[in-house]
Amino acid sequence: MDARTPGSETAASTAWRPDRCHRVALVLQGGGALGAYQAGVYQALHEAGMEPDWVCGVSIGAINSAIIAGNPPEQRLEKLRIFWDRITARKIWHYTPDGDVYRKARNLTSSFLTSTLGQPGFFKPHDVNPWFSPAGAKTATSYYDTTPLRETLLELVDFDLINARKMHFAVGAVNVLTGNFLYFDNKKEVIAPEHVMASGALPPALPMVRIGTDHFWDGGIVSNTPLQHLLDQDDRLNSLVFQVDLFSARGALPRDIQEVMARHKDIMYSSRARHNTDIYKRMNNLKTEYYKALLKVPEEQLSDREREMREKLAHLPEITILHLIYQQKAYEGDSKDHEFSATSMREHWQSGLEDTRRTLMRRDWLEIPAHGMGIVVHDVHRERDY
């Protein structure tokens, strides 16, 4: 085991999933440096032998998703570790005294170095600042060059494996010209490094990514959590969904300007999962009532379309969503998403690992809802009582 990252690489010898569960899905939000929390979540699932059938991400969630989908199960954790060790390899301080004030200072130093130097294997500053670049120049529309990320993806991700469709893979991005949000889905198109990079191209820091004749930015601009893409699937598969968010919609009242900036970022990028699931529940309830009404109509009075609809509504999927949200440390400020120190990375990874291990102990949370219930959501950090 790598001493820099906590946990074991060995998966459980026997795969497990709940009864009537046809799909295990991992839905990963964007959040930059906080994405190491998602790697810890995956490690816990890997240890439990609960490998996902579906991965869908935005921004850093798209990169983690690509590494998971683009490697066989026995190599996924190792490749995640290589990625996170690489992009957090820069030494910040040789020694940090104990206490929040010192940790805040070290984190600010780390985020300053990210802003000025970029991150190894991820992005580097342009040779010419965009403010001094003529319009139309490659350096005119962003502060950093993501060529290192493309090289890292080609090294750590087998795109042929993603395109073999052994695992359903999708990442969200925004069309720069139209403003439309869309998913690059391996069920519909051939996935390349550019699709993953487009999902994480957050302006104005990172450059837009050209795919075909279109240009794309980070999907988090419109929707930072790709849960809706899974809920929109018309495949009737009962699903256990691990939704892993990096920004919390709920938080404390800010007491200084740095906390104001951090809280603003949390609200702006937090998931709208509750809104999405409430809409899905209402739609599911309407479908259930429609099905019950169709059952009361004599067979000879039904049209072919109504019979077809009745058959379809008889097999609505049941979905359990486990909503895990990274819990911010007291010394983390508004730069937490671009504070790429190895110390913080290990803390984030460990938090995801421990949160998910505790969650998996609650087998009652993992059960698929009874037929007709539609969707059940467990807000892990509010419900758990360990």
Side-chain angles (χ1 to χ4, degrees):
M1 181 180 69
D2 191 325
R4 299 185 61 192
T5 305
S8 166
E9 290 189 33
T10 304
S13 58
T14 303
W16 178 87
R17 63 179 55 193
D19 291 339
R20 301 172 44 248
C21 177
H22 307 139
R23 172 170 58 202
V24 174
L26 194 55
V27 177
L28 304 180
Q29 191 184 73
L34 301 176
Y37 179 83
Q38 298 170 343
V41 171
Y42 171 74
Q43 179 178 335
L45 296 177
H46 177 77
E47 289 175 345
M50 193 178 288
E51 296 292 341
D53 310 293
W54 165 302
V55 286
C56 189
V58 169
S59 199
I60 195 67
I63 296 174
N64 284 331
S65 294
I67 294 173
I68 293 169
N71 285 283
E74 65 275 11
Q75 295 181 17
R76 291 169 184 168
L77 193 56
E78 175 190 0
K79 294 298 178 65
L80 282 169
R81 182 170 294 127
I82 291 172
F83 173 75
W84 283 100
D85 281 346
R86 178 175 302 174
I87 68 172
T88 61
R90 181 185 297 119
K91 191 71 174 178
I92 308 302
W93 290 358
H94 289 287
Y95 171 71
T96 302
D98 192 25
D100 286 358
V101 64
Y102 301 110
R103 185 58 188 274
K104 283 183 178 180
R106 196 202 66 100
N107 284 10
L108 286 172
T109 302
S110 174
S111 60
F112 173 75
L113 291 176
T114 294
S115 299
T116 55
L117 303 177
Q119 287 303 127
F122 201 164
F123 56 89
K124 61 183 180 181
H126 285 306
D127 294 333
V128 181
N129 188 282
W131 290 100
F132 301 104
S133 300
K138 290 183 178 179
T139 57
T141 57
S142 66
Y143 290 96
Y144 303 99
D145 175 11
T146 51
T147 300
L149 174 59
R150 188 177 194 278
E151 295 170 353
T152 296
L153 288 172
L154 287 172
E155 176 188 345
L156 299 181
V157 177
D158 182 349
F159 285 91
D160 288 337
L161 181 58
I162 290 179
N163 291 311
R165 302 179 180 179
K166 294 183 178 180
M167 179 185 293
H168 196 154
F169 169 87
V171 293
V174 176
N175 187 302
V176 177
L177 289 182
T178 66
N180 291 334
F181 183 92
L182 77 163
Y183 290 98
F184 299 119
D185 190 313
N186 68 345
K187 298 292 186 181
K188 300 177 181 178
E189 57 201 304
V190 176
I191 302 297
E194 285 71 24
H195 296 93
V196 181
M197 295 170 66
S199 183
L202 184 64
L206 305 184
M208 65 187 87
V209 176
R210 179 175 177 175
I211 300 175
T213 59
D214 294 317
H215 294 78
F216 295 92
W217 271 331
D218 192 309
I221 296 174
V222 174
S223 176
N224 200 33
T225 299
L227 176 65
Q228 193 62 43
H229 188 51
L230 185 143
L231 297 180
D232 286 341
Q233 301 300 305
D234 190 23
D235 50 22
R236 307 185 191 182
L237 296 178
N238 292 348
S239 300
L240 175 61
V241 182
F242 292 85
Q243 180 187 327
V244 189
D245 290 356
L246 304 177
F247 295 98
S248 177
R250 291 176 176 263
L253 190 70
R255 297 180 60 84
D256 59 34
I257 194 63
Q258 190 175 11
E259 290 184 2
V260 167
M261 296 168 65
R263 189 75 197 108
H264 169 257
K265 187 174 289 185
D266 279 343
I267 294 172
M268 181 169 58
Y269 289 119
S270 64
S271 167
R272 296 295 177 265
R274 179 58 67 189
H275 174 70
N276 288 340
T277 52
D278 284 347
I279 291 176
Y280 183 87
K281 282 183 177 180
R282 286 197 294 269
M283 291 296 296
N284 186 80
N285 289 339
L286 288 173
K287 290 177 180 178
T288 300
E289 293 302 317
Y290 183 31
Y291 173 66
K292 292 178 180 178
L294 288 174
L295 290 177
K296 297 178 181 178
V297 179
E299 189 72 22
E300 64 274 9
Q301 295 182 19
L302 291 173
S303 67
D304 290 341
R305 178 177 175 79
E306 287 169 337
R307 291 190 186 92
E308 181 181 346
M309 181 61 68
R310 184 185 61 184
E311 175 63 22
K312 183 176 181 180
L313 294 177
H315 302 285
L316 292 175
E318 278 75 50
I319 299 176
T320 295
I321 298 177
L322 297 172
H323 191 188
L324 294 106
I325 309 174
Y326 172 70
Q327 303 298 294
Q328 179 174 331
K329 306 294 191 297
Y331 45 76
E332 290 183 300
D334 67 294
S335 62
K336 60 186 177 182
D337 58 336
H338 60 277
E339 195 279 288
F340 283 92
S341 68
T343 300
S344 293
M345 180 274 288
R346 289 193 294 267
E347 288 182 348
H348 298 151
W349 188 305
Q350 185 68 31
S351 293
L353 178 63
E354 293 177 354
D355 284 347
T356 311
R357 282 175 174 170
R358 289 194 295 268
T359 300
L360 292 175
M361 292 173 63
R362 290 290 302 266
R363 291 298 175 96
D364 56 319
W365 285 358
L366 307 181
E367 294 176 356
I368 297 299
H371 182 67
M373 289 185 63
I375 184 170
V376 172
V377 182
H378 296 289
D379 293 319
V380 170
H381 295 282
R382 291 188 226 169
E383 294 185 29
R384 71 186 185 194
D385 52 357
Y386 305 111

mmCIF file of all heavy atoms in Angstrom, residues 2-3 9 42 46 50-51 91 94 109 138-139 237 260 268 342:
data_model
loop_
_atom_site.group_PDB
_atom_site.id
_atom_site.type_symbol
_atom_site.label_atom_id
_atom_site.label_comp_id
_atom_site.label_asym_id
_atom_site.label_seq_id
_atom_site.Cartn_x
_atom_site.Cartn_y
_atom_site.Cartn_z
ATOM 1 N N ASP A 2 0.547 2.224 -0.817
ATOM 2 C CA ASP A 2 1.261 3.493 -0.863
ATOM 3 C C ASP A 2 1.070 4.223 0.451
ATOM 4 O O ASP A 2 -0.040 4.443 0.922
ATOM 5 C CB ASP A 2 0.704 4.349 -2.012
ATOM 6 C CG ASP A 2 1.575 5.562 -2.287
ATOM 7 O OD1 ASP A 2 2.123 6.113 -1.328
ATOM 8 O OD2 ASP A 2 1.670 5.945 -3.469
ATOM 9 N N ALA A 3 2.182 4.628 1.069
ATOM 10 C CA ALA A 3 2.104 5.279 2.375
ATOM 11 C C ALA A 3 1.433 6.634 2.307
ATOM 12 O O ALA A 3 0.974 7.172 3.308
ATOM 13 C CB ALA A 3 3.512 5.429 2.960
ATOM 14 N N GLU A 9 -5.717 -1.875 -1.032
ATOM 15 C CA GLU A 9 -6.026 -2.041 -2.450
ATOM 16 C C GLU A 9 -6.853 -3.288 -2.714
ATOM 17 O O GLU A 9 -7.366 -3.481 -3.804
ATOM 18 C CB GLU A 9 -4.730 -2.143 -3.254
ATOM 19 C CG GLU A 9 -3.945 -0.854 -3.341
ATOM 20 C CD GLU A 9 -2.798 -0.984 -4.329
ATOM 21 O OE1 GLU A 9 -2.948 -1.716 -5.312
ATOM 22 O OE2 GLU A 9 -1.769 -0.359 -4.112
ATOM 23 N N TYR A 42 -14.828 5.580 -3.736
ATOM 24 C CA TYR A 42 -14.647 4.416 -4.613
ATOM 25 C C TYR A 42 -13.853 3.319 -3.904
ATOM 26 O O TYR A 42 -14.173 2.136 -4.032
ATOM 27 C CB TYR A 42 -13.944 4.787 -5.921
ATOM 28 C CG TYR A 42 -13.595 3.536 -6.686
ATOM 29 C CD1 TYR A 42 -14.582 2.814 -7.345
ATOM 30 C CD2 TYR A 42 -12.301 3.014 -6.654
ATOM 31 C CE1 TYR A 42 -14.294 1.609 -7.962
ATOM 32 C CE2 TYR A 42 -12.004 1.815 -7.279
ATOM 33 C CZ TYR A 42 -13.006 1.114 -7.927
ATOM 34 O OH TYR A 42 -12.715 -0.089 -8.527
ATOM 35 N N HIS A 46 -14.878 -0.516 -3.588
ATOM 36 C CA HIS A 46 -13.978 -1.543 -4.121
ATOM 37 C C HIS A 46 -13.682 -2.598 -3.054
ATOM 38 O O HIS A 46 -13.718 -3.804 -3.328
ATOM 39 C CB HIS A 46 -12.689 -0.869 -4.588
ATOM 40 C CG HIS A 46 -11.636 -1.799 -5.096
ATOM 41 N ND1 HIS A 46 -11.693 -2.371 -6.347
ATOM 42 C CD2 HIS A 46 -10.499 -2.263 -4.521
ATOM 43 C CE1 HIS A 46 -10.627 -3.143 -6.533
ATOM 44 N NE2 HIS A 46 -9.890 -3.096 -5.439
ATOM 45 N N MET A 50 -18.224 -3.963 -4.364
ATOM 46 C CA MET A 50 -19.394 -3.348 -4.988
ATOM 47 C C MET A 50 -18.936 -2.436 -6.133
ATOM 48 O O MET A 50 -18.988 -1.206 -6.042
ATOM 49 C CB MET A 50 -20.204 -2.563 -3.951
ATOM 50 C CG MET A 50 -21.579 -2.149 -4.431
ATOM 51 S SD MET A 50 -22.530 -1.272 -3.147
ATOM 52 C CE MET A 50 -22.912 -2.623 -2.049
ATOM 53 N N GLU A 51 -18.473 -3.034 -7.209
ATOM 54 C CA GLU A 51 -17.998 -2.259 -8.351
ATOM 55 C C GLU A 51 -19.180 -1.660 -9.111
ATOM 56 O O GLU A 51 -20.198 -2.336 -9.325
ATOM 57 C CB GLU A 51 -17.181 -3.140 -9.294
ATOM 58 C CG GLU A 51 -15.891 -3.682 -8.697
ATOM 59 C CD GLU A 51 -14.843 -2.608 -8.435
ATOM 60 O OE1 GLU A 51 -14.950 -1.511 -9.041
ATOM 61 O OE2 GLU A 51 -13.926 -2.863 -7.628
ATOM 62 N N LYS A 91 5.633 20.075 -2.841
ATOM 63 C CA LYS A 91 5.788 20.272 -1.403
ATOM 64 C C LYS A 91 5.454 21.717 -1.057
ATOM 65 O O LYS A 91 5.926 22.653 -1.702
ATOM 66 C CB LYS A 91 7.233 19.949 -0.989
ATOM 67 C CG LYS A 91 7.454 19.873 0.511
ATOM 68 C CD LYS A 91 6.812 18.631 1.091
ATOM 69 C CE LYS A 91 7.146 18.474 2.575
ATOM 70 N NZ LYS A 91 6.487 17.287 3.154
ATOM 71 N N HIS A 94 7.725 22.306 4.785
ATOM 72 C CA HIS A 94 8.345 21.101 5.345
ATOM 73 C C HIS A 94 7.765 20.766 6.711
ATOM 74 O O HIS A 94 7.806 19.615 7.140
ATOM 75 C CB HIS A 94 9.857 21.282 5.448
ATOM 76 C CG HIS A 94 10.545 21.289 4.116
ATOM 77 N ND1 HIS A 94 10.719 20.145 3.365
ATOM 78 C CD2 HIS A 94 11.063 22.301 3.382
ATOM 79 C CE1 HIS A 94 11.321 20.448 2.217
ATOM 80 N NE2 HIS A 94 11.545 21.746 2.213
ATOM 81 N N THR A 109 -1.113 29.351 1.194
ATOM 82 C CA THR A 109 0.138 29.261 0.440
ATOM 83 C C THR A 109 0.016 28.250 -0.685
ATOM 84 O O THR A 109 0.449 28.486 -1.822
ATOM 85 C CB THR A 109 1.297 28.850 1.373
ATOM 86 O OG1 THR A 109 1.417 29.796 2.435
ATOM 87 C CG2 THR A 109 2.612 28.786 0.612
ATOM 88 N N LYS A 138 -4.359 31.588 -28.882
ATOM 89 C CA LYS A 138 -4.655 30.435 -28.033
ATOM 90 C C LYS A 138 -4.599 30.791 -26.556
ATOM 91 O O LYS A 138 -5.258 30.159 -25.731
ATOM 92 C CB LYS A 138 -3.683 29.296 -28.344
ATOM 93 C CG LYS A 138 -3.897 28.644 -29.703
ATOM 94 C CD LYS A 138 -2.941 27.481 -29.908
ATOM 95 C CE LYS A 138 -3.189 26.801 -31.247
ATOM 96 N NZ LYS A 138 -2.251 25.664 -31.472
ATOM 97 N N THR A 139 -3.798 31.799 -26.222
ATOM 98 C CA THR A 139 -3.636 32.176 -24.824
ATOM 99 C C THR A 139 -4.606 33.267 -24.383
ATOM 100 O O THR A 139 -4.533 33.734 -23.246
ATOM 101 C CB THR A 139 -2.200 32.658 -24.588
ATOM 102 O OG1 THR A 139 -1.919 33.757 -25.474
ATOM 103 C CG2 THR A 139 -1.201 31.542 -24.846
ATOM 104 N N LEU A 237 -34.231 -0.293 -14.907
ATOM 105 C CA LEU A 237 -33.289 -1.003 -14.054
ATOM 106 C C LEU A 237 -33.366 -0.485 -12.622
ATOM 107 O O LEU A 237 -33.171 0.711 -12.381
ATOM 108 C CB LEU A 237 -31.858 -0.842 -14.583
ATOM 109 C CG LEU A 237 -31.555 -1.432 -15.962
ATOM 110 C CD1 LEU A 237 -30.120 -1.148 -16.354
ATOM 111 C CD2 LEU A 237 -31.834 -2.928 -15.975
ATOM 112 N N VAL A 260 -17.697 34.134 3.818
ATOM 113 C CA VAL A 260 -18.708 34.564 2.845
ATOM 114 C C VAL A 260 -18.384 34.007 1.466
ATOM 115 O O VAL A 260 -19.251 33.458 0.771
ATOM 116 C CB VAL A 260 -18.805 36.103 2.793
ATOM 117 C CG1 VAL A 260 -19.620 36.546 1.570
ATOM 118 C CG2 VAL A 260 -19.437 36.643 4.062
ATOM 119 N N MET A 268 -23.431 28.039 -4.833
ATOM 120 C CA MET A 268 -23.399 28.121 -6.286
ATOM 121 C C MET A 268 -23.182 26.751 -6.924
ATOM 122 O O MET A 268 -23.804 26.423 -7.943
ATOM 123 C CB MET A 268 -22.295 29.089 -6.727
ATOM 124 C CG MET A 268 -22.183 29.286 -8.233
ATOM 125 S SD MET A 268 -21.088 30.669 -8.651
ATOM 126 C CE MET A 268 -19.547 30.186 -7.855
ATOM 127 N N ALA A 342 -0.677 17.695 -0.824
ATOM 128 C CA ALA A 342 -0.793 16.264 -0.556
ATOM 129 C C ALA A 342 -1.464 16.005 0.782
ATOM 130 O O ALA A 342 -2.219 15.035 0.936
ATOM 131 C CB ALA A 342 0.593 15.620 -0.584
#
